[in-house]
Amino acid sequence: MAYVALYRRWRPQGFDALVGQDAVRIALSNALTTGRIAHAYLFAGPRGTGKTSTAKILAKALNCEQGPTANPCNECANCQRINDGSSMDVFEIDAASNRGIDEIRDLREKVMFAPVNGRYKVYIIDEVHKIPATIHSRCQRFDFKRVTNEDIAKRLREVADGSEIRADDEALKLIAIQSDGGMRDALSLLDQCGVMADTVTAETVRNVLGIVGREALHELVRAIGRQDLSAALQLLNRLAEQGKDVRQILTELAEYLRAVLLYKASPGYHEIYLTDTEEAISELAPLFGSDRLMAAEERLHQAMGELRFSARGRITAELCLFDLC
């Protein structure tokens, strides 16, 4: 039997399973319960936050034999057809590839026909961009937000336990941070890490992503803080020999210096301790003034911009470290 990716196997099957989108869940559930169902919905937001999954749940909620209901049964024939993609009444269209006149004409002709098995025909039009105001005003819009690291890590634990993937809590937290608020990205990364080791650790995640890691960054920031260019260049060379990408090194360095800057301004801001522990950051804070940290961030972002056009990224990074020291 073909392997099914985690993000597909663990796709939410009901509104209660949506992660981090409480406002959307409540609004759509209330609409279904009260019968105030709009003819068009617009789901907007970052990738991997549940837009398409929500559209499929809504399609089931409308066509479930027990519905319309906020809690589709996932057992009746209509629900099962939608789950396995065989429903004759639910159409998922890629707007990026189906935008020609012939495709639009075909769509308009098919809309006029009555549903085959369910109550409603549902068209899920994905990858839609540049929506005219005349269409936007005819839709109910729901904005999906990035999922918090805590919610992602909690869901990853459920998925890992349910998929017989052994994973450390620290590894799941690191995956959550690196997924940038996208649940699908987090599940894909867990899937990839799960085949790399018997037990997924933070080191496994770092190896898969090419992440520099806390210890090396702490050492690099300390060298910069002490204006020890020789030590900083030696660290850069060591990381390059380990296969770390120059852009990744500068990106993580910028994140670490940001944590030091925010620690000096507001030690109670717990978001910064996702970068490193309070003890580690507090050790480095006295080495920097706020003005120097602000200038360092500006120089790092300049270097990252230069990397797009540089044939030798190593030289760009070395000159950046020269300025930082």
Side-chain angles (χ1 to χ4, degrees), residues 160-180:
D161 292 345
S163 304
E164 298 183 348
I165 296 175
R166 288 183 292 182
D168 296 343
D169 289 340
E170 190 68 22
L172 299 184
K173 289 178 184 177
L174 184 55
I175 291 174
I177 294 169
Q178 294 298 315
S179 63
D180 193 26

Side-chain angles (χ1 to χ4, degrees), residues 116-169:
V116 177
N117 301 114
R119 296 180 193 83
Y120 297 92
K121 293 180 73 172
V122 179
Y123 287 84
I124 302 172
I125 307 177
D126 215 342
E127 299 298 334
V128 177
H129 309 285
K130 293 182 182 181
I131 299 175
T134 183
I135 294 177
H136 194 287
S137 64
R138 288 171 168 82
C139 302
Q140 284 193 12
R141 173 170 175 156
F142 291 91
D143 288 287
F144 286 65
K145 61 183 182 180
R146 282 183 167 83
V147 187
T148 65
N149 292 334
E150 292 77 12
D151 285 343
I152 291 178
K154 181 181 177 182
R155 180 60 172 169
L156 288 176
R157 171 52 63 198
E158 295 172 358
V159 172
D161 292 345
S163 304
E164 298 183 348
I165 296 175
R166 288 183 292 182
D168 296 343
D169 289 340

Side-chain angles (χ1 to χ4, degrees), residues 1-6 8-9 163 165 191 195:
M1 185 175 180
Y3 178 74
V4 180
L6 286 182
R8 293 179 58 195
R9 199 189 328 161
S163 304
I165 296 175
D191 213 353
V195 299

Side-chain angles (χ1 to χ4, degrees), residues 291-308:
D291 289 344
R292 186 181 173 204
L293 286 167
M294 291 289 290
E297 289 288 350
E298 185 175 347
R299 181 64 181 89
L300 279 164
H301 285 286
Q302 177 189 345
M304 286 186 278
E306 292 172 358
L307 283 176
R308 291 181 296 173

